Amino acid sequence: MRYSKFFIPTLREVPADAEVVSHQLMARAGMIKKLASGIYSYLPLGLIVIKKVEQIVRECMNEAGAIELTMPSIQPAELWEESGRWDFYGKELLRIKDRHNRDFCYGPTHEEVITDIVKSYITSYKALPINLYQIQTKFRDEVRPRFGLMRGREFVMKDAYSFDVDDAAANISYQKMYDAYCKVFERCGLKYKTVEADSGAIGGSFSHEFMVLADTGEDFVISCDSCDYSANVEKAPLKNDHVAFSGEMKAIEDVETPNAKTVSEVAKILNIPEGDILKTMVLDVDGKLVAICVKGTHDVNLAKVKNYFGASVVDLAGAGEVFDSMGSPAGSCGPVGAKIPVYGDFAITAMGNFSVGANVKGVHKINVNLGRDFEFEDMGDFRNAEIGDTCTACGGKYQITKGIEVGHIFKLGTKYSESMNAMFLDNNGKRKPFIMGCYGIGVTRVVASAIEQNHDESGIIWPVELAPFKISVLPLAMKDKDVVDAAEKIYMDLIDKGIEVLLDDRDERAGVKFKDAELTGIPLRVVIGKKTLAEGKIELRARTESEATEISFDGCIDTIVQKLEEIASKA
Ligand code: ATP
Ligand code: MG
């Protein structure tokens, strides 16, 4: 590609709303342009990289036996009503009406559509297993779209769906996708980790997330310091290894805590550490109100609550419901004398003489003790794991790193096949629901994550497989015929070798060409200057090197190709 004939609108300024490096660099390198919050145009350079990721994904999917198709992005509401998700899927679902006032949505995912397709054509076990996938634009009306392509509203996803005759077969399909995902992220040159993820009420370890490790990640990854266990913070289990409080129990008292709504405000008024306070949260679990208590420094984990109760939906109770059930606003709720069932997190076992809301507005009780002053309905694992918590697998200690979720695989079981009546005849002629799995990769998020992991202060450093061009050829004197001819020759010879090369044929100063080459992260740069060329030399410099190496112009193509191979193999 000739730079002058291409479109790479690089910027010197960082856009004001770009908080993370990948967003800053993609905007500056002329890869993306924002149209509206979370909605971006993929400019030519960005598109090349997106297509590269898509191609890697496609090859790995095909190799694993999955078959590509494309489903519509606009989906009719009826399908979502059939699966029961039209009412459950929250505001992330962009709902639209057509001219006949019929309801549609822009697909955030395609379980309904694929189930509808498969049930229409597949009626016998003989056609199973089957795994169908697409690479397509999704829309999710995210609450907080941010970080450029990392959390967009419109983004590209690869979604695959497997259909199997039984559980054992479904597990094989799942494993194939697991292995294919590992290949995808390895080929993309990313440092990643697979973690156990929450699989909701289905249970088992049948959901894994693929996390690219990066400080800017929004996900917290738990890993054990002595065994291989790693999981999403939502999932990492905790057991009750707490020694029960055995100190002296002091006399319980009511204390005024006017206007204190949060744990830290209460701690300040009572002049005690936050860890001596019990946080009480009223939740709506499938339409029934329950209260969950955790230590003041801990966070209630709604996924764990949901699993504990085997519930479909867990939500915070509304202010009105809290007041009606507890007799006080949320900030003053507590377990003593509560009229709804109260459950406690395991860690409370070790607490004594703690403070709780008194269920009277602006009042807390101090020196409260479990057993003496109240009992929980039950105790359980209701909080997020933290650094130093004990690994339930081996007794080691949990550590936390940050990650970006680039892929998610999930064994769905019969969730959709049952609700949508998707059945086949098994080898005994019996009607059975398909056992399904679904598998997603955030293609555009992979591009952003690759930059998060590979950059320096001058710009992007592409892993060679993802680089939009492998080599940039920089003639530094466009008015000098020798320089231009030499650059043209190198450019044409590299193209003949099938190498993706960018010839910076703009009439720009050397500094500008260098800066843009660094910003856009092209792995290898070939510099042709007037003085060096007069001595029969040109310069080579890898994006990761601080110094250039002079090589002779004669026979330079072999040296260049060899250097590129070296860079690729080092990654
Ligand atoms: P997250 O927890 O980050 O919101 P999710 O769990 O809702 O993601 P999935 O439904 O598992 O996402 O979607 C599959 C993949 O699609 C994710 O692993 C992620 O890589 C990608 N993805 C999801 N939401 C977005 C988004 N808003 N922008 C870019 N990529 C996304
Ligand atoms: Mg996910």
Side-chain angles (χ1 to χ4, degrees), residues 111-119 163 416-417 420 422 436:
E111 282 81 7
E112 282 80 0
V113 183
I114 198 77
T115 305
D116 180 63
I117 292 174
V118 168
K119 83 170 180 190
F163 295 79
Y416 295 92
S417 42
M420 296 182 66
M436 290 173 59

Side-chain angles (χ1 to χ4, degrees), residues 140 142 149-153 155 157 209 219 405-408 440-442 444-445:
R140 294 184 181 178
E142 299 273 354
L149 296 197
M150 199 87 93
R151 183 169 297 282
R153 292 198 291 169
F155 58 96
M157 197 205 283
E209 286 166 349
D219 285 286
E405 182 197 319
V406 285
H408 193 173
I441 291 183
T444 36
R445 190 181 279 182

Side-chain angles (χ1 to χ4, degrees), residues 222-261:
I222 294 277
S223 53
C224 175
D225 66 2
S226 64
C227 75
D228 286 343
Y229 186 76
S230 59
N232 188 311
V233 75
E234 291 218 312
K235 161 88 182 179
L238 296 167
K239 59 183 171 194
N240 197 353
D241 58 352
H242 304 276
V243 180
F245 174 76
S246 60
E248 187 196 332
M249 297 188 193
K250 297 186 190 158
I252 190 168
E253 261 181 70
D254 282 357
V255 181
E256 302 263 335
T257 49
N259 303 323
K261 293 191 187 76

Side-chain angles (χ1 to χ4, degrees), residues 7 106 130 219 244 331 375 513:
F7 182 57
Y106 197 111
I130 191 162
D219 285 286
E375 289 288 358
K513 292 190 179 187

Side-chain angles (χ1 to χ4, degrees), residues 73 75 80 85 89 92-94 105-112 136-141 155 157 159 161:
S73 42
Q75 309 179 11
W80 285 69
R85 282 210 288 188
Y89 216 102
E92 279 184 20
L93 187 66
L94 182 68
C105 64
Y106 197 111
T109 175
H110 280 68
E111 282 81 7
E112 282 80 0
Q136 189 209 36
T137 299
K138 299 275 186 275
F139 193 95
R140 294 184 181 178
D141 203 353
F155 58 96
M157 197 205 283
D159 43 330
Y161 305 89

